[in-house]
Amino acid sequence: MKNVIICGDCGDRLLTKSIISACKNHGGVLVLNGGNIYQTSDGAEYLVVCVNSLTEADCSAVLVMGEALCQIPPALSLNGVTAVSESSNTDALKILSRTGVPVVGCSSSVMDTMTLSCISGNYMMISLQRPLSALSGKIIEPCEIIVRCNEGQQLYPALAACCTLLLCGVPYENGYDLTEYPD
């Protein structure tokens, strides 16, 4: 099972919804979200854990940072984790810089590792700007990824969901599906 930790996503929870949709569409997901636990399919390939506070993570996982990080202690301990953060999230970047874990920056800036190339209706073209090491250790070379999404999809949640799939080793050649279907 591939582990994904979403930390500090409050409010509309678009980040969480986007990542759960991506994992659901690419292998199924077991979700631990506060008091809610559910599975989208038998034999789910992903475990998604949603937390508002995190002290330690000692496992192979993608850690996706949201905006509400006021409950994160200064002595956060991470081992085996690759973090994903929006580049403008200075609180997350400050916390992560003390941990020594790899951080993948996501935004509309061409200076970031994951960025938007173009958008048209229900499709985005996401660009991986530099090599990325998946959790398995496999190196993913720069590439363009076509992404099917809901109209009006917000950028950082889409970039974070794509980055999560890449880090978990999901092949990108046929694109990614982030659309949310009613259950």
Side-chain angles (χ1 to χ4, degrees), residues 17-78:
K17 291 175 186 174
S18 295
I19 291 171
I20 290 172
S21 291
C23 293
K24 178 181 177 182
N25 295 336
H26 294 276
V29 61
L30 171 61
V31 179
L32 306 175
N33 188 358
N36 299 317
I37 300 171
Y38 63 93
Q39 188 168 321
T40 64
S41 63
D42 289 336
E45 293 182 28
Y46 299 89
L47 170 63
V48 175
V49 179
C50 306
V51 297
N52 289 328
S53 178
L54 183 64
T55 305
E56 180 178 2
D58 189 5
C59 60
S60 176
V62 177
L63 171 62
V64 182
M65 304 298 273
E67 290 289 328
L69 299 172
C70 57
Q71 297 178 30
I72 305 298
L76 177 63
S77 174
L78 301 175

Side-chain angles (χ1 to χ4, degrees), residues 71-111:
Q71 297 178 30
I72 305 298
L76 177 63
S77 174
L78 301 175
N79 184 32
V81 171
T82 297
V84 176
S85 180
E86 188 168 21
S87 300
S88 62
N89 189 344
T90 55
D91 290 338
L93 295 174
K94 216 179 293 181
I95 291 166
L96 292 169
S97 70
R98 293 188 295 256
T99 67
V101 301
V103 178
V104 181
C106 300
S107 78
S108 59
S109 169
V110 295
M111 300 302 288

Side-chain angles (χ1 to χ4, degrees), residues 103-159:
V103 178
V104 181
C106 300
S107 78
S108 59
S109 169
V110 295
M111 300 302 288
D112 270 317
T113 301
M114 294 288 293
T115 190
L116 177 70
S117 290
C118 67
I119 187 168
S120 177
N122 290 359
Y123 289 91
M124 290 181 173
M125 185 66 76
I126 304 290
S127 179
L128 175 64
Q129 300 284 89
R130 60 191 54 84
L132 185 66
S133 181
L135 294 177
S136 68
K138 179 183 176 191
I139 301 298
I140 304 156
E141 295 297 332
C143 60
E144 296 282 324
I145 306 164
I146 190 153
V147 177
R148 183 171 173 225
C149 56
N150 296 320
E151 195 157 335
Q153 169 74 53
Q154 288 191 2
L155 183 58
Y156 175 61
L159 292 170

